Amino acid sequence: MASTGGDAEIWRKGMAPVSGTSSAGAPLSENRQPAEDLRPWVARLVAAKIHLPPGTKMECGMCNDLVYVRAIFNAKWSAETLDGHGEYEREALLFGQHSKFMPLTCEGDIMSAGFGLRAGAFHALFGRSAHDIVDRIEQNDLFGLMGPDFRDTLTDQHTPEEWNLAMEEAIRRVIAKLDPEPPNKISTDFEVAAFADPSLVLADFAEEYGISLRKLERLVKRDFGMPPKKVLRRARALDFAAQLCGVADDEEEEEMILRYFDQSHMIREFAKFFGFTPREFRSVPRPLLTITLEQRQARRLEELERLPEGAQRPWQAD
């Protein structure tokens, strides 16, 4: 079985992404903001459809900064989670946020549709802390994506955009049934603040919202799964990783580098999240991670109002 783990030619020439490519030829997803009525709870809809050469095994991984629900309805997937090795096929999965890069493999054409819950939405909807599922995958179809109403749509016969529309309807039904309060505004605003400046002073943020630093730490750990300092460090690492993968705004490159004290600080911090130095990271194609990073950068630029919703992204192929 051929592997894309270290062969750039296999994934650059052999893949056939239906959901878009970057200007460098990397596969992308069909991702966008949800419908207006879902935005208090859902941050992003993400659907990817990529045909691989027969007998190819993709070796890559991901690093989420949201709790994700994903339906995988083709291929065999495996992941190295906090609970050990897991294997998955034709099911809906709940992905926790990640404290570090999670190795992931896929055998067969990639067909996956999912959505990221806005910070605090997992608690608002289900009364659960994001801390419970950090670096974990639960085989849990919370939104009924594998039910009879959506099973016929989540197939190869439909487009990624049709998958996204079906997911919106599934989410809408669950929200109507649960009738939840919106997520805590402090958590959602902290997410946007981390997009804008991962070097922000936590005490200043807490003071702005009239809460103690201790309360901020409790809220962030509940809604992001880890302490606020680590959330900020992860945001910085993910932004830099997006630059290395060619799915970031080149005009921000200098700003991303200046977030680190010096080169040794950059290398050390990056390696803590990804297990590789930046040079090692860049030397191997990372298709699945690139898809994750690209939709995050699109969301980030839109949240910061640096890119209009639906506009051409700086890294997209014409």
Side-chain angles (χ1 to χ4, degrees):
M1 175 175 290
S3 169
T4 62
D7 191 338
E9 293 306 307
I10 290 178
W11 76 270
R12 288 185 187 279
K13 295 183 178 180
M15 287 186 182
V18 177
S19 42
T21 60
S22 72
S23 56
L28 303 179
S29 64
E30 175 76 30
N31 69 85
R32 61 172 173 81
Q33 293 188 37
E36 193 71 37
D37 62 312
L38 302 178
R39 293 185 186 185
W41 298 276
V42 180
R44 204 76 180 173
L45 300 167
V46 185
K49 188 176 187 179
I50 304 168
H51 298 297
L52 297 175
T56 299
K57 180 179 181 179
M58 182 184 291
E59 298 177 357
C60 193
M62 62 176 56
C63 191
N64 293 335
D65 66 340
L66 297 173
V67 171
Y68 268 91
V69 174
R70 288 186 174 94
I72 55 171
F73 36 95
N74 194 66
K76 295 180 180 179
W77 296 76
S78 68
E80 303 304 321
T81 76
L82 187 64
D83 300 313
H85 180 79
E87 297 186 353
Y88 316 96
E89 186 175 9
R90 300 184 185 279
E91 56 188 308
L93 302 171
L94 177 67
F95 286 73
Q97 294 201 28
H98 290 130
S99 68
K100 59 183 179 180
F101 177 78
M102 173 184 283
L104 194 69
T105 68
C106 173
E107 297 178 35
D109 290 344
I110 295 172
M111 294 183 199
S112 172
F115 52 91
L117 295 174
R118 194 167 288 282
F122 187 53
H123 182 265
L125 287 165
F126 304 107
R128 297 182 62 187
S129 168
H131 180 67
D132 296 341
I133 56 171
V134 168
D135 297 327
R136 288 187 160 97
I137 298 176
E138 289 187 0
Q139 293 168 291
N140 191 345
D141 189 5
L142 291 173
F143 289 83
L145 297 179
M146 295 290 101
D149 290 353
F150 303 106
R151 190 180 300 133
D152 290 342
T153 303
L154 298 178
T155 65
D156 188 24
Q157 283 68 50
H158 292 267
T159 66
E161 179 53 31
E162 288 173 322
W163 300 343
N164 281 337
L165 289 170
M167 286 192 298
E168 284 183 314
E169 183 57 30
I171 299 164
R172 196 170 281 119
R173 291 184 188 182
V174 170
I175 289 175
K177 180 180 179 180
L178 296 176
D179 192 24
E181 292 293 323
N184 189 294
K185 188 176 187 304
I186 295 173
S187 292
T188 55
D189 286 359
F190 185 77
E191 179 184 35
V192 177
F195 280 157
D197 180 15
S199 301
L200 68 87
V201 178
L202 294 174
D204 291 347
F205 183 90
E207 182 178 359
E208 180 182 349
Y209 285 85
I211 61 174
S212 67
L213 184 57
R214 186 178 180 86
K215 182 173 181 179
L216 175 63
E217 290 171 343
R218 287 199 303 269
L219 277 173
V220 171
K221 189 170 183 180
R222 185 194 74 187
D223 292 342
F224 292 79
M226 59 196 73
K229 286 185 178 180
K230 186 155 189 178
V231 172
L232 296 176
R233 287 170 51 214
R234 182 185 62 186
R236 184 168 55 189
L238 291 175
D239 284 341
F240 185 47
Q243 288 284 344
L244 296 178
C245 289
V247 286
D249 188 348
D250 288 341
E251 293 184 3
E252 294 186 313
E253 183 173 5
E254 184 176 358
E255 175 191 336
M256 303 299 183
I257 293 173
L258 291 175
R259 291 173 175 177
Y260 296 95
F261 299 129
D262 52 33
Q263 188 175 26
S264 63
H265 179 224
M266 176 197 297
I267 293 171
R268 185 171 63 252
E269 284 288 292
F270 190 86
K272 285 180 180 178
F273 281 95
F274 293 102
F276 307 95
T277 67
R279 182 186 295 272
E280 291 168 338
F281 180 90
R282 197 168 195 168
S283 68
V284 177
R286 304 190 185 278
L288 294 176
L289 181 61
T290 298
I291 288 171
T292 305
L293 294 171
E294 190 273 338
Q295 61 84 16
R296 179 185 179 275
Q297 284 302 308
R299 178 167 60 93
R300 173 180 169 272
L301 293 179
E302 290 174 14
E303 292 274 5
L304 297 177
E305 299 183 350
R306 296 181 185 177
L307 186 72
E309 182 180 345
Q312 175 87 5
R313 297 160 196 168
W315 53 83
Q316 282 183 310
D318 294 331

